[in-house]
Amino acid sequence: MTRLRVPSSSAWRLLRPSFYLRKPRRLAFIFVLLLCSTFMLWDRQSLVRDHTDSISKLSEERDQLALEVDGLRKILKDHGLHLNNGVKRGGTTQSSTGKGQQDQESDGATVSDTSNKQDIKSSELKHSQEGAESQNDDSDLVTKNRREKIRDAMLHAWSSYEKYAWGYDELQPQSKRGINQFGGLGATIVDSLDTLYIMGFHEQFAKAKEWIASSLDFNKNYDASVFETTIRVLGGLLSSYDLSKEKIFLEKAKELADRLLPAWNTNTGIPYNTINLAHGSAFNPSWNGGSSTLADLGTEQLEFIALSQRTGDDKYRIKVEKVIQQIRKFFPQDGLVPIFINPNSGQPTTSRITFGAMGDSFYEYLLKVWIMGNKTEAVKHYRQMWEQSMEGMTSLIRKSTPSSFTYIAERSGTNYYTDKMDELACFAPGMLALGSDDANSDNAKKYLNLAKELARTCYHFYQSTSSKLASENYYFREGEDMTVGTPYNILRPETVESLMYLWRKTGDQIYREWGWDIFQAFEAKSRTESGYVGLRDVRSGEKDDMMQSFFLAETMKYLYLLFSPSSVIPLDEWVFNTEAHPLRITPRDDKILSLEDTLSKEGE
């Protein structure tokens, strides 16, 4: 039979505590053994846990990378480009051809070199393409991603207006309602048309066009600013026509211009600044003593000349060129024109000179009429007047202390200077960069260097405040550099406008970086859930309740173009009006008319 095995007495004693208490060495050995075993077990569990955490994090990073690649692929697709598959959620790497091809880029994705021109609607509008020959037509993904963020910001601004203020002139984002400050002409719609077109927002552009065709009515018993109505509404309609070739825009432009024309019916042809759109009665406001403002009377030439070229009706050009002929009668030797002119006598009524408010765009249009006329003999005198004015501007240039910021002072009389510069004057760096073309070698270098110095100052208008947004103007005092003057910011575009021109002229990446800083400040301080607002005070960050139409027309457009290749609205084919509406450059072959010839032709 089988016997059961009984443990020997020697084995049982190992389980007795007395066995170890009589032998301390044995007890110590067992303690060390248990300690080591516990540590090994704990360490193994820690390794397993860390390994599990690492795998989880890597999985999350893999999925995030895949999402980012998908986002980049969408961005590139929107711009007619292609991104090869280099990252898949399953963790495998495979080319878009499905052949398991090893990726050549360290991030697992390669950008196709295929150049695909994107055409929104007009075959004449050049858009970005990968591998463009220009040094400015770069293809880095950071630039494309930034451009897409700006495009998203424009869509947020437009969608907010569309939701809360459709048909009104402008949106009050905080109140979530519309307001009419331009007679109910749908200023934001007309002002935004070409920005929507350039950025490829087809559906939004079509809806805006439909509103213009069915609802835009100029028969308003409203006293309109000739200047604002011209640059925003007339300029927006003409630009949209040039881009899309939709006739409704040209028809509406002609209708509006006909209602504005009576403003030029003065003894000298110097226009009044205000006109009633319904009745045609024109006048100047009393606050400036009945005088016309330089920036107003000198900033309609682009639009009205363009309208004559597109309609074949010369009456629009004659009206605005008569103004320039009148100014040439007293044009100062230094080219600096006082900001108030009597429309009856045709003579200045003040000695104040500024490149800021009420003076700025007169000088801009001297250059741009010459460019829009394709620099022909018929517009040569505009360039000559502009260069004369630029020589005069150098007498206003000052340097701050201690940081040596270059700024444009203001002048009254012949010797009294005010060390103040408006943010509005920050258009000047872009104008100088644009005008450096076709200048002699000495002037070209001088213009461009001054443009760079002024752009640095304008950028620091933004960087010098806690909100990183510029105030309306700055004062310069000995040893203090720049000090905030009027503290509000209303989303103005002038600095980013100049950065766009300088980027295209120089290709220097610093201008894109400065522009990106400004955009991020707008996002941080001005963006709300229902649009963008200005700041009542750039130091405290207190918000106002207005989204200016020019934020969509200018600020967003210039930021977008700053991060676009130079083939998007190329500057040798288009010229921007002072509201950032691009007009196609058209040669001028008409002879230069004397004042007498102009008067004679007007009377025909």
Side-chain angles (χ1 to χ4, degrees):
M1 63 182 293
T2 304
R3 295 172 55 183
L4 294 177
R5 184 178 178 182
V6 179
S8 68
S9 59
S10 61
W12 278 104
R13 67 178 181 167
L14 295 176
L15 300 176
R16 299 172 183 171
S18 59
F19 176 78
Y20 298 100
L21 291 175
R22 291 196 300 269
K23 301 288 185 177
R25 288 183 179 181
R26 295 174 184 172
L27 181 63
F29 174 76
I30 293 299
F31 177 78
V32 171
L33 182 63
L34 289 173
L35 184 65
C36 290
S37 299
T38 301
F39 177 78
M40 290 177 65
L41 180 62
W42 174 83
D43 185 57
R44 180 174 179 82
Q45 290 177 336
S46 297
L47 288 173
V48 171
R49 184 169 57 252
D50 290 345
H51 182 64
T52 302
D53 290 344
S54 297
I55 291 176
S56 178
K57 289 180 180 179
L58 287 173
S59 298
E60 291 176 0
E61 291 176 0
R62 179 201 65 204
D63 290 342
Q64 181 63 32
L65 179 60
L67 289 172
E68 291 178 0
V69 171
D70 288 343
L72 290 174
R73 186 178 294 110
K74 179 180 181 298
I75 293 171
L76 295 177
K77 183 179 179 181
D78 289 343
H79 292 276
L81 306 173
H82 302 285
L83 183 68
N84 292 339
N85 285 332
V87 178
K88 298 182 69 176
R89 283 185 172 82
T92 58
T93 302
Q94 189 176 21
S95 74
S96 59
T97 61
K99 297 179 181 179
Q101 179 178 328
Q102 190 72 24
D103 291 317
Q104 298 176 352
E105 298 291 334
S106 61
D107 63 355
T110 59
V111 178
S112 171
D113 291 330
T114 303
S115 298
N116 294 303
K117 287 190 177 180
Q118 180 187 26
D119 188 347
I120 296 175
K121 190 169 183 182
S122 169
S123 61
E124 297 177 341
L125 180 61
K126 293 183 179 179
H127 276 266
S128 60
Q129 57 177 347
E130 201 69 25
E133 295 180 356
S134 169
Q135 65 171 352
N136 293 338
D137 291 346
D138 56 1
S139 56
D140 68 281
L141 296 181
V142 171
T143 297
K144 289 183 172 62
N145 187 47
R146 289 179 174 183
R147 183 168 66 245
E148 192 65 19
K149 288 184 182 298
I150 294 166
R151 190 172 181 270
D152 289 343
M154 172 62 188
L155 184 60
H156 174 63
W158 173 262
S159 298
S160 298
Y161 167 80
E162 190 176 18
K163 181 177 181 179
Y164 298 111
W166 183 252
Y168 286 88
D169 286 327
E170 290 174 317
L171 166 66
Q172 293 182 301
Q174 307 230 66
S175 303
K176 297 182 180 179
R177 65 185 181 187
I179 184 173
N180 284 330
Q181 298 198 113
F182 300 98
L185 302 181
T188 295
I189 295 176
V190 186
D191 231 359
S192 303
L193 274 168
D194 50 15
T195 306
L196 295 172
Y197 190 95
I198 291 167
M199 291 189 183
F201 290 119
H202 312 288
E203 181 180 342
Q204 292 81 359
F205 179 83
K207 182 177 179 179
K209 187 191 83 170
E210 177 58 31
W211 183 89
I212 286 170
S214 62
S215 302
L216 181 56
D217 179 16
F218 300 122
N219 189 26
K220 304 279 189 180
N221 186 16
Y222 167 72
D223 294 331
S225 164
V226 177
F227 167 75
E228 295 289 356
T229 307
T230 296
I231 66 171
R232 298 187 194 219
V233 184
L234 183 59
L237 291 169
L238 287 169
S239 176
S240 298
Y241 172 73
D242 278 0
L243 289 166
S244 70
K245 300 305 179 186
E246 295 282 355
K247 291 184 179 180
I248 184 61
F249 298 129
L250 185 59
E251 292 169 0
K252 288 291 185 179
K254 186 177 185 302
E255 180 185 344
L256 174 60
D258 287 340
R259 289 182 180 272
L260 296 175
L261 278 182
W264 279 264
N265 294 339
T266 64
N267 293 337
T268 61
I270 299 290
Y272 291 117
N273 292 161
T274 307
I275 189 169
N276 186 282
L277 292 178
H279 307 302
S281 54
F283 60 95
N284 279 335
S286 58
W287 62 265
N288 60 359
S291 294
S292 298
T293 303
L294 178 65
D296 289 22
L297 63 91
T299 313
E300 286 107 9
Q301 283 68 29
L302 274 181
E303 295 84 357
F304 279 77
I305 293 171
L307 183 60
S308 282
Q309 291 175 323
R310 285 144 185 78
T311 62
D313 191 339
D314 215 28
K315 66 182 180 183
Y316 308 107
R317 180 192 67 81
I318 291 172
K319 287 286 189 183
V320 296
E321 296 221 294
K322 182 179 177 182
V323 176
I324 301 302
Q325 296 290 356
Q326 188 66 44
I327 291 176
R328 290 178 74 186
K329 286 184 174 183
F330 67 83
F331 196 62
Q333 185 64 34
D334 63 4
L336 301 179
V337 181
I339 61 173
F340 296 134
I341 298 174
N342 187 301
N344 295 312
S345 68
Q347 294 299 311
T349 59
T350 183
S351 61
R352 184 183 170 195
I353 303 295
T354 179
F355 276 78
M358 297 184 288
D360 47 6
S361 49
F362 165 75
Y363 303 101
E364 175 188 357
Y365 270 37
L366 290 179
L367 174 66
K368 289 183 174 180
V369 172
W370 174 71
I371 293 174
M372 193 181 74
N374 206 27
K375 309 173 184 179
T376 54
E377 188 68 22
V379 289
K380 182 179 178 181
H381 57 295
Y382 284 95
R383 173 77 191 203
Q384 292 170 339
M385 293 172 71
W386 181 78
E387 291 199 358
Q388 201 170 332
S389 298
M390 293 306 98
E391 286 301 311
M393 187 177 73
T394 60
S395 68
L396 305 177
I397 297 300
R398 301 286 186 273
K399 296 274 191 180
S400 75
T401 56
S403 302
S404 195
F405 289 115
T406 301
Y407 63 95
I408 309 172
E410 298 180 352
R411 190 185 79 194
S412 295
T414 55
N415 295 311
Y416 182 76
Y417 295 88
T418 302
D419 294 307
K420 166 183 167 288
M421 181 174 169
D422 292 347
E423 197 280 337
L424 281 166
C426 287
F427 83 97
M431 175 186 67
L432 287 163
L434 185 64
S436 65
D437 291 337
D438 297 281
N440 63 50
S441 58
D442 289 340
N443 279 344
K445 183 177 180 180
K446 180 171 65 175
Y447 295 155
L448 191 56
N449 286 340
L450 181 56
K452 293 176 181 178
E453 293 175 9
L454 289 171
R456 171 177 173 261
T457 300
C458 292
Y459 171 66
H460 279 85
F461 281 175
Y462 285 80
Q463 293 300 297
S464 65
T465 71
S466 57
S467 65
K468 303 303 179 185
L469 291 176
S471 71
E472 184 72 355
N473 51 53
Y474 287 82
Y475 287 89
F476 296 83
R477 299 182 176 90
E478 189 70 24
E480 296 181 13
D481 282 328
M482 57 186 70
T483 304
V484 169
T486 307
Y488 61 75
N489 176 288
I490 57 173
L491 310 171
R492 288 200 185 278
E494 286 76 21
T495 298
V496 293
E497 170 188 358
S498 286
L499 297 179
M500 187 277 290
Y501 281 112
L502 280 164
W503 161 254
R504 291 205 175 183
K505 179 65 179 177
T506 69
D508 191 336
Q509 187 68 24
I510 191 64
Y511 300 116
R512 279 181 165 172
E513 294 303 318
W514 288 356
W516 185 245
D517 287 344
I518 293 171
F519 173 72
Q520 288 183 303
F522 281 130
E523 289 292 289
K525 301 299 181 180
S526 293
R527 182 168 178 147
T528 71
E529 64 175 358
S530 50
Y532 289 82
V533 296
L535 301 184
R536 290 191 173 93
D537 194 320
V538 296
R539 298 164 296 194
S540 68
E542 180 187 2
K543 292 178 170 61
D544 67 18
D545 192 17
M546 183 64 65
M547 187 170 75
Q548 306 282 345
S549 74
F550 57 66
F551 180 69
L552 293 81
E554 300 185 74
T555 310
M556 286 288 97
K557 185 186 290 116
Y558 282 131
L559 281 167
Y560 181 80
L561 294 175
L562 175 61
F563 290 93
S564 298
S566 58
S567 56
V568 181
I569 314 296
L571 297 179
D572 60 347
E573 297 180 19
W574 300 83
V575 62
F576 292 93
N577 85 335
T578 199
E579 190 78 3
H581 297 307
L583 301 171
R584 185 170 287 282
I585 293 173
T586 305
R588 292 247 332 245
D589 297 324
D590 53 300
K591 68 173 183 175
I592 303 173
L593 298 178
S594 67
L595 182 58
E596 293 74 18
D597 290 336
T598 303
L599 289 171
S600 175
K601 190 166 185 179
E602 184 182 18
E604 293 178 358

